[in-house]
Amino acid sequence: MTAAAALTAAGTASASASRAAVPGRDVTVMTFNMHHGADPDDVLNLNHVAQAVRQSGADVIGLQEVDRHFASRSDFVDQAEWLAERLDLHLAFGANLDLDPEKPGNLRRRYGTAILSRFPIVNSHNTLLPRSETGEQRGLLEADLMVRGKKLRFLNTHLEHTSQAERRTQVAAINAIVNGSRLPTVLVGDLNATPDSAEIASVTERLTDTWPVAGKGDGFTYDSRNPQERIDYVFTSPGVEARRAQVLDVTVSDHRPVRVELSIR
C-alpha cells in the first residue's frame, strides 16, 4: 500500500470510528396533567407526582396545571421549582395566570405549565393563546433543548375545556408557531379534545400523533381511575420518530401520564 493510500485508509477508519462514537439522540418524553399535585380525591401530595415522574424515566416532561405560590389548595408552594429541585432537572415555566398576592409583600400567584428536562434548556418562551372574555387564559410554553449537540424544540400546552370554538382558535395559533420552527419539534399537552375532533385533525396536518404509530390499545388518559377518553397527546414533527408509546398506570392525578420513546433523526 502506498503512503497516500495508507493515509486515506487511516482517515476513513478514523471518520468511521468518530461517527460510531457519537451517542444516539434517543429521548423519552412525557406529558402529565398533574392537577396541582392533587389526586382524584383532591388530596394534595406533590411527593407522589415527583415519584411518578422519576419512575417514568422520562428525559423531558411537560406538566400542566402547575401552581407557583398560587393558592391554599397547593399550600402556596412553588410546585415547579420544588419538582425541579427534587428531581434535579432543568426548568422552564409558563405563567398563564399571573395574579396579585393575597397579602401585600407576598410573592405573585402564578398558574400554568412547566417543562422539566434532563437536557440543558437553551431558551424558553410562553405565548398566551386566544381566549374569549369568559374563557380561562391558556398558553403555549416553548423550550429549546440541547440534546447531545442537537437542538430539539419542546412545546407544552393545555387547551380550553369548555369550548371547541375556542380550542380551534388556540390550535390555529399553535400551528402558526409550529410552522415557523425549523427545528425538530415535539408538542405535548392536555388538549381537552378527542382524536376524532376537528382540533386534533388540524394539529395532525402538520405533526404526527405518536399514539397510533407507537402505542397499543385505546390510549385513554382521563379520568385516571376509569379512563374513558384520550385527551393527552404527544405529537412530533418530521425528523422525530416515535418508537414506543405508553399510558402509565398512575392515579396520583385525575389524568394518567403518557410516556413516549423518541429518536431524533
Side-chain angles (χ1 to χ4, degrees):
M1 180 183 295
T2 66
L7 287 171
T8 299
T12 301
S14 176
S16 298
S18 177
R19 285 193 296 270
V22 174
R25 294 192 178 98
D26 294 340
V27 180
T28 299
V29 305
M30 186 167 84
T31 183
F32 189 21
N33 182 327
M34 58 176 272
H35 191 48
H36 63 267
D39 68 15
D41 294 322
D42 210 30
V43 175
L44 182 68
N45 196 324
L46 205 53
N47 274 305
H48 286 173
V49 174
Q51 183 178 11
V53 172
R54 182 182 292 111
Q55 290 180 346
S56 76
D59 300 306
V60 190
I61 304 96
L63 299 173
Q64 302 89 42
E65 296 194 16
V66 186
D67 284 359
R68 299 192 91 166
H69 314 293
F70 189 72
S72 57
R73 70 182 186 183
S74 49
D75 293 335
F76 293 95
V77 167
D78 184 340
Q79 295 185 322
E81 191 65 37
W82 189 94
L83 287 167
E85 290 184 0
R86 179 61 59 94
L87 297 167
D88 193 24
L89 297 172
H90 301 282
L91 169 67
F93 180 78
N96 298 326
L97 301 181
D98 189 348
L99 309 177
D100 291 333
E102 291 184 350
K103 296 180 180 179
N106 288 354
L107 295 169
R108 293 190 65 79
R109 302 166 53 225
R110 294 184 170 95
Y111 168 80
T113 57
I115 294 170
L116 301 176
S117 174
R118 207 176 306 279
F119 305 109
I121 297 175
V122 179
N123 53 64
S124 64
H125 175 72
N126 192 54
T127 300
L128 298 180
L129 298 175
R131 69 178 181 93
S132 65
E133 290 184 2
T134 58
E136 181 182 306
Q137 182 63 66
R138 309 287 177 153
L140 177 70
L141 178 59
E142 309 170 55
D144 288 346
L145 315 176
M146 188 58 70
V147 180
R148 305 182 187 98
K150 177 77 171 179
K151 274 190 180 180
L152 173 69
R153 182 155 293 168
F154 191 87
L155 312 178
N156 180 21
T157 195
H158 182 197
L159 300 187
E160 175 61 38
H161 66 292
T162 61
S163 166
Q164 182 181 41
E166 200 156 322
R167 286 194 298 273
R168 293 186 72 172
T169 63
Q170 291 168 349
V171 166
I174 291 171
N175 283 343
I177 291 171
V178 169
N179 288 343
S181 173
R182 296 183 179 181
L183 295 175
T185 299
V186 177
L187 167 65
V188 309
D190 172 4
L191 272 63
N192 277 311
T194 54
D196 58 350
S197 66
E199 305 93 288
I200 302 304
S202 182
V203 174
T204 55
E205 289 176 2
R206 298 157 176 81
L207 301 174
T208 298
D209 180 359
T210 60
W211 186 262
V213 174
K216 294 181 180 179
D218 50 40
F220 290 164
T221 57
Y222 184 82
D223 66 22
S224 61
R225 284 182 172 163
N226 184 28
Q228 298 292 320
E229 294 182 304
R230 183 160 82 92
I231 59 175
D232 300 274
Y233 297 87
V234 175
F235 301 97
T236 58
S237 71
V240 184
E241 179 182 354
R243 296 181 289 109
R244 185 187 185 200
Q246 303 166 273
V247 175
L248 302 183
D249 186 8
V250 171
T251 56
V252 302
S253 168
D254 59 346
H255 288 243
R256 292 191 177 192
V258 180
R259 176 187 185 274
V260 182
E261 297 172 13
L262 304 172
S263 292
I264 306 173
R265 294 201 298 267

